Amino acid sequence: MAKTALVCGAGGFIGGHLVKRLKADGFWVRGVDLKRNEFSSCPADDFVVGDLRDPLLVREVVDQAFDEVYQLAADMGGAGYIFTGENDAGLMHNSATINLNVVDECCRRQIGRVFYSSSACIYPAYNQEDPDNPVCSEASAYPAAPDSEYGWEKLFSERIYSAYRRNHGLQSFVARYHNIFGPEGTWTGGREKAPAAICRKVAQARSGGEIEIWGDGRQTRSFLYVDECVEGTLRLMRSGFPGPVNIGSDEMVSINQLVELVADIAGKRISVRHVPGPQGVRGRTSDNRLVQETLGWAPSRSLREGLERTYAWVEAQVRREAALDAWPVPVQPAPRPRAPVRELAQPGPEA
Ligand code: NAD
Ligand code: GDD
């Protein structure tokens, strides 16, 4: 019999890629999300459109002893969403409520294995002030001092999953993702992260043109291609190690270097105008010693390789939007084959 998996946040970027991989591996998959995937059809066997903040909805979707549950649903975004301060109350409330509901229901249903996607944003700001030497080893998480409320919620939720493991024997597994990028990620609208934003800006610019970058561009990050993120997630989930463990790249670059790389891939000469904007920590990269030690694995694909695929995809989105804007009559996209949708926004009484 096929193994079963529930993917919470299946309509999002990483969740969408994860569903595709689980289906390719022969799983029966149920996806759940507030919305469907925007850029491709989701091959889930069952897709529930619903709100995981609602405990009745969560009870309805966790209706069987799934072999694996992946909890990726969150109210999240890049620096332009999480560092402005304007979304703090909502994102903390929304994500914490989802996690409280999901972990409790997984425990009640005695789910085999439960994965939770935490973030590099849990690491203390005081260890990420030097752009050349950020400290992001797992053990450095405490004394806690994340630089955003998004990071505090992630840390709180990590602790919920590990408390359920200690008190109720829940087989929970926690990864700290470091800035994941790739095709079908958010690329416009305010929640996009630096790789997609820079691909978009370069794609929209002419060769010899200028793009705006937040800050002096000397802040550093590392970026992990989504296929490797999914691979690391599955390896952790099927291991004997509960985490938390970093899933990220240790190829650290400055944002200015990221622009140069994208411009080179695009074959354009691009100059940068540094403007004020939300910046977050000064430096961050994944410390991959623990993931290597515990899983015998670490991501290996180069940033350039992932960016080549991502730039091609973002450029196609930019062209598509430009073509739609230029067209006088609204164009209806061709209908896509879809898994059956169950609308559960208004759940019925508890069974
Ligand atoms: P995403 O925003 O593309 O996906 C999250 C999905 O959760 C969205 O589709 C959203 O609609 C859904 N969601 C939000 N609230 C919901 C609700 N109340 N009920 C049901 N669904 C809801 O983000 P992503 O990049 O795919 O990230 C997946 C997970 O990984 C998130 O938990 C995120 O915080 C974490 N993470 C991502 C990164 C990254 O760089 N992408 C880094 C660190 C951690
Ligand atoms: N998004 C974005 N857009 N960032 C820009 C831009 C731009 O146009 N220009 C410069 N930057 C800079 C930001 O100021 C920040 O210093 C850096 O690029 C990285 O920004 P993001 O990719 O948006 O976010 P982040 O790395 O600070 O945090 C992300 O990664 C975390 C995990 O590592 C977020 O996605 C978090 O939600 C995630 O948990």
Side-chain angles (χ1 to χ4, degrees):
M1 223 172 72
K3 285 196 163 188
T4 56
L6 173 69
V7 178
C8 302
F13 168 48
I14 303 170
H17 283 270
L18 178 62
V19 171
K20 286 179 186 157
R21 172 67 189 270
L22 288 167
K23 283 305 301 168
D25 288 353
F27 274 70
W28 185 93
V29 182
R30 172 177 293 156
V32 53
D33 201 298
L34 283 174
K35 62 168 180 66
R36 284 194 149 272
N37 307 76
E38 289 149 75
F39 307 114
S40 65
S41 67
C42 178
D45 299 277
D46 184 26
F47 195 104
V48 177
V49 175
D51 191 337
L52 291 162
R53 290 170 301 183
D54 180 343
L56 296 180
L57 181 281
V58 176
R59 182 153 294 190
E60 192 152 346
V61 296
V62 189
D63 64 352
Q64 54 181 283
F66 286 97
D67 294 301
E68 300 180 353
V69 170
Y70 296 86
Q71 196 327 69
L72 295 110
D75 186 354
M76 73 88 71
Y81 187 71
I82 63 172
F83 295 133
T84 62
E86 287 162 18
N87 305 305
D88 289 349
L91 68 82
M92 291 183 91
H93 173 89
N94 294 337
S95 297
T97 306
I98 294 169
N99 284 310
L100 288 164
N101 287 343
V102 170
V103 75
D104 203 52
E105 204 53 42
C106 286
C107 182
R108 205 179 70 86
R109 280 282 177 192
Q110 299 186 314
I111 297 300
R113 287 169 175 251
V114 181
F115 172 84
Y116 173 58
S117 51
S118 182
S119 168
C121 287
I122 66 99
Y123 287 115
Y126 58 75
N127 277 335
Q128 300 173 86
E129 287 168 3
D130 177 355
D132 298 322
N133 296 294
V135 178
C136 293
S137 56
E138 288 80 353
S140 71
Y142 296 94
D147 74 332
S148 65
E149 300 298 1
Y150 168 81
W152 278 106
E153 187 282 325
K154 286 288 185 195
L155 199 56
F156 166 72
S157 290
E158 279 191 5
R159 299 187 69 97
I160 304 173
Y161 286 88
S162 74
Y164 271 73
R165 174 177 265 273
R166 283 197 312 277
N167 293 169
H168 301 299
L170 183 76
Q171 293 296 298
S172 59
F173 298 83
V174 176
R176 293 174 180 158
Y177 289 162
H178 286 246
N179 210 320
I180 314 302
F181 74 104
E184 304 195 1
T186 305
W187 63 280
T188 189
R191 291 190 190 228
E192 65 277 14
K193 290 169 278 117
I198 289 168
C199 286
R200 185 195 71 230
K201 290 178 184 185
V202 170
Q204 287 170 335
R206 59 178 174 76
S207 190
E210 184 182 70
I211 66 167
E212 288 189 351
I213 288 297
W214 301 336
D216 63 8
R218 282 184 245 159
Q219 64 269 47
T220 54
R221 293 291 187 277
S222 66
F223 304 98
L224 182 68
Y225 191 67
V226 65
D227 287 357
E228 297 215 272
C229 170
V230 169
E231 179 65 32
T233 299
L234 296 179
R235 284 179 186 251
L236 174 64
M237 184 68 146
R238 288 146 198 187
S239 76
F241 181 63
V245 65
N246 291 330
I247 293 190
S249 163
D250 57 7
E251 185 182 346
M252 187 172 81
V253 292
S254 71
I255 299 301
N256 287 334
Q257 288 170 325
L258 182 66
V259 176
E260 282 168 26
L261 206 43
V262 173
D264 190 52
I265 289 166
K268 293 182 181 181
R269 278 182 305 106
I270 296 289
S271 57
V272 168
R273 184 149 50 96
H274 294 110
V275 298
Q279 292 177 52
V281 294
R282 200 65 190 135
R284 173 176 291 156
T285 189
S286 184
D287 181 328
N288 285 348
R289 286 173 297 178
L290 186 64
V291 76
Q292 183 73 64
E293 204 178 288
T294 53
L295 305 186
W297 172 89
S300 55
R301 187 172 281 177
S302 72
L303 174 60
R304 185 178 180 105
E305 197 185 330
L307 280 177
E308 282 171 353
R309 294 170 186 226
T310 307
Y311 181 77
W313 182 83
V314 173
E315 191 196 30
Q317 308 311 305
V318 169
R319 280 180 198 276
R320 195 178 138 271
E321 288 235 324
L324 286 174
D325 286 349
W327 196 253
V329 184
V331 176
Q332 297 294 326
R336 290 194 300 250
R338 291 184 154 181
V341 179
R342 294 193 284 130
E343 300 286 351
L344 289 177
Q346 303 289 327
E350 195 176 337

